Amino acid sequence: MATLTAEPTSRPFITRLGWAVSDSWTVVRRHLTHIRYMPDKLLDVTIQPIMFVVLFAYVFGSAIKVPGGDYRSFLMPGIYAQNMMFASMPIMAALVQDMQRGVIDRFRSLPMSRAAVLVGHAGASFIESMLGLVIMLLCGLFVGWRPELGVGSTLGGIGLLMLFAFAMTSVGTFLGLIVKSVEAAQSFGFIVMFPLTFIANTFVPTAGMPVWLRTVANWNPVSAVVQATRMLFGNLPPGTAGGPTWTLSHPVLSTLIFACLLIAIFMPLAVWRFRRMLLE
């Protein structure tokens, strides 16, 4: 584990904010050091999404038709959004492991900023997600995906994915403080995350779904994220710029609202839960 900073009062000219940033970066470096020696920690943001690309682009893709569009161009924005959706998983597992191993208790006994524990975990998880996004963008270019609306719109799409990843990191931060085991954290992904990403327009158009399932998929916030990503990358099939719901007709605004709500709700909850833990 990386060496933590000394008692803040020993250097009065450094502000509390400066110490919090320094301690947070120490926690981030601790996680990045773990990745260096245990690269398998990145499997869920690297190998798993690549497997989805291979499976859908080359196995199922020949049987999935997108009216007026190319399936791989349709698919990749959905894969990007799915990858950011799973940004909550690494931080959940990391927090649970640290609590089980007594690392959080050790942090509590050290002269360090209490905010650094959450900020450091969230920062490390966000960096992992961005690494996964870079790998997936390269993978998309390899299989034939191309952004069609220029640099500005492409950067907007990437920025929206980054915001969504940070929002999911805030969700994972809170959930990582309440689940009791790594197994429970992993089960959350299969029980909640997978249905949310599959019952959406992530991999296939929703038009072919049964009416009741199509209604659920169209109102699924993940569908708005995917729609916004396709719109900004210029990958929307012809005639699909609008949608049967307000969220799909205004996907960028919907995604911004959705992401900001997640951050506004789960970040304070995570801080509240962590403070409760410190008092227990």
Side-chain angles (χ1 to χ4, degrees):
M1 185 175 68
T3 304
L4 291 167
T5 52
E7 176 67 39
T9 56
S10 64
R11 291 187 178 184
F13 61 91
I14 299 180
T15 64
R16 292 177 60 185
L17 178 60
W19 277 104
V21 172
S22 176
D23 291 342
S24 299
W25 177 239
T26 300
V27 177
V28 171
R29 287 193 296 111
R30 169 180 175 265
H31 285 280
L32 298 182
T33 302
H34 286 178
I35 294 173
R36 177 182 176 185
Y37 294 102
M38 294 182 292
D40 55 291
K41 291 170 67 71
L42 294 177
L43 290 178
D44 55 343
V45 296
T46 54
I47 303 301
Q48 179 177 290
I50 292 175
M51 290 176 60
F52 274 103
V53 172
V54 173
L55 182 65
F56 280 91
Y58 294 101
V59 179
F60 297 150
S62 59
I64 300 175
K65 304 299 181 184
V66 178
D70 174 68
Y71 179 66
R72 292 181 189 177
S73 296
F74 177 88
L75 170 68
M76 291 312 302
I79 295 287
Y80 302 150
Q82 182 201 42
N83 208 26
M84 298 303 97
M85 182 78 174
F86 280 89
S88 62
M89 302 305 297
I91 190 170
M92 287 178 62
L95 282 169
V96 173
Q97 285 181 339
D98 279 356
M99 286 189 291
Q100 289 181 335
R101 297 172 181 176
V103 176
I104 298 296
D105 291 332
R106 292 184 63 188
F107 284 157
R108 292 169 60 182
S109 66
L110 291 172
M112 62 180 291
S113 169
R114 295 296 177 257
V117 177
L118 293 185
V119 174
H121 275 85
S125 179
F126 184 72
I127 291 173
E128 291 180 25
S129 299
M130 292 306 98
L131 175 61
L133 178 59
V134 170
I135 292 174
M136 290 314 303
L137 289 170
L138 294 175
C139 183
L141 293 173
F142 179 79
V143 302
W145 167 81
R146 296 291 185 273
E148 304 291 344
L149 293 183
V151 176
S153 185
T154 300
L155 291 177
I158 294 174
L160 197 68
L161 289 171
M162 293 174 65
L163 176 64
F164 183 53
F166 183 74
M168 294 308 301
T169 298
S170 68
V171 175
T173 302
F174 173 67
L175 295 178
L177 295 173
I178 62 174
V179 297
K180 301 301 183 182
S181 66
V182 176
E183 292 76 14
Q186 293 172 341
S187 297
F188 177 81
F190 288 99
I191 296 174
V192 178
M193 296 298 184
F194 268 97
L196 282 175
T197 55
F198 276 89
I199 305 176
N201 60 2
T202 312
F203 302 106
V204 297
T206 60
M209 298 180 180
V211 175
W212 67 272
L213 190 61
R214 182 168 65 247
T215 302
V216 174
N218 287 337
W219 282 104
N220 185 347
V222 177
S223 291
V225 177
V226 175
Q227 184 88 340
T229 305
R230 289 189 181 121
M231 177 181 292
L232 292 171
F233 287 152
N235 300 140
L236 278 177
T240 61
T245 64
W246 186 89
T247 55
L248 293 181
S249 297
H250 306 83
V252 176
L253 179 59
S254 299
T255 301
L256 290 173
I257 294 173
F258 178 54
C260 291
L261 280 176
L262 289 179
I263 295 170
I265 293 172
F266 284 98
M267 272 302 183
L269 284 176
V271 172
W272 168 80
R273 176 58 183 167
F274 188 66
R275 286 177 175 173
R276 288 285 303 273
M277 290 176 56
L278 294 179
L279 297 175
E280 292 176 357

